[in-house]
Amino acid sequence: GAVVSQHPSRVICKSGTSVKIECRSLDFQATTMFWYRQFPKQSLMLMATSNEGSKATYEQGVEKDKFLINHASLTLSTLTVTSAHPEDSSFYICSARELSGRNTEAFFGQGTRLTVV
Amino acid sequence: GNSVTQMEGPVTLSEEAFLTINCTYTATGYPSLFWYVQYPGEGLQLLLKATKADDKGSNKGFEATYRKETTSFHLEKGSVQVSDSAVYFCALSPGNQFYFGTGTSLTVIP
């Protein structure tokens, strides 16, 4: 199947700094990518939908000024956690669909474990 | 609206036991249904999927049948192995977006 690469897999940063997470579709073009956050022992919470060449669509309750999403090309989306705080520590996962439509699966990145100290 | 309800875990089974993880859904329209598996510290991997009523998805000994009449997509495996220990997520997709259940943690002991 298609491959989505997420980097870094693990990052520790100091409170107040910013962290950028990259999500790449390696062998297909993804017009839409999704960013999820997963709390321990909980399901994935959709944070935002990233559309290539346009502004991301954020879910209710997600601060768009804190979680900056950029989808500059058909193979790359980035999530920047700005002025990170310990409560932002979480597992962040991106996904992409190869084609639009309900019959295609979503491919997930490996996830990024963010720890803010 | 769209939502997925999964049986709560954790589930602990002995090797070679039979596994069932229940999943029911509510949806507008005719969604595709999926089971994803997450191993510790990793992202989600597609386990199986079904795109229309009565379809059966299967992979690695796991099966699930899309039951429209009961709005269910229960995951089953006849004989689990230690390597099946993971968290399993049921999901539906009516279009572009995915809706996930809360996940069920499975531990298989030798």
Side-chain angles (χ1 to χ4, degrees), chain B residues 2-104:
Chain B
N2 298 294
S3 67
V4 176
T5 302
Q6 268 181 257
M7 66 181 282
E8 290 192 18
V11 174
T12 302
L13 295 174
S14 297
E15 206 166 22
E16 298 184 0
F18 184 85
L19 168 71
T20 300
I21 300 178
N22 290 337
C23 171
T24 57
Y25 67 91
T26 58
T28 53
Y30 303 97
S32 293
L33 301 176
F34 304 80
W35 277 100
Y36 280 86
V37 58
Q38 184 180 32
Y39 297 101
E42 298 184 14
L44 274 68
Q45 302 173 25
L46 178 68
L47 181 59
L48 52 84
K49 66 179 180 182
T51 58
K52 61 182 187 296
D54 300 325
D55 267 4
K56 176 186 283 188
S58 62
N59 185 27
K60 299 180 181 179
F62 291 89
E63 293 183 340
T65 301
Y66 191 139
R67 301 285 189 199
K68 187 179 176 184
E69 63 276 14
T70 54
T71 61
S72 65
F73 193 54
H74 304 322
L75 181 69
E76 297 182 336
K77 186 174 185 180
S79 176
V80 293
Q81 305 300 313
V82 173
S83 57
D84 294 327
S85 298
V87 180
Y88 293 82
F89 291 92
C90 184
L92 69 85
S93 181
N96 209 24
Q97 193 174 118
F98 273 71
Y99 298 86
F100 289 89
T102 52
T104 302

Side-chain angles (χ1 to χ4, degrees), chain A residues 34 38 43 97 102 105-106 110, chain B residues 32 36 38 43 51 93 95 101:
Chain A
F34 305 89
Q38 186 180 30
S43 187
R97 297 189 84 156
R102 68 180 183 88
E105 66 188 88
Q110 306 94 316
Chain B
S32 293
Y36 280 86
Q38 184 180 32
T51 58
S93 181

Side-chain angles (χ1 to χ4, degrees), chain A residues 9-10 16 28 30-32 37 39-40 45 59 62 65 67-68 77-79 95-96 98 103 109-110 113 115-117:
Chain A
S9 59
R10 195 175 292 267
F28 67 98
T31 54
T32 305
R37 182 173 180 176
F39 292 97
M45 180 190 78
E59 295 299 303
V62 178
D65 293 331
F67 299 100
L68 300 179
S77 177
T78 60
L79 167 67
S95 76
E98 187 170 5
N103 288 328
Q110 306 94 316
R113 172 73 59 192
T115 303
V116 184
V117 297

Side-chain angles (χ1 to χ4, degrees), chain A residues 68-88:
Chain A
L68 300 179
I69 292 173
N70 182 274
H71 195 157
S73 76
L74 287 172
T75 59
L76 174 64
S77 177
T78 60
L79 167 67
T80 301
V81 183
T82 63
S83 186
H85 292 286
E87 57 265 31
D88 299 325

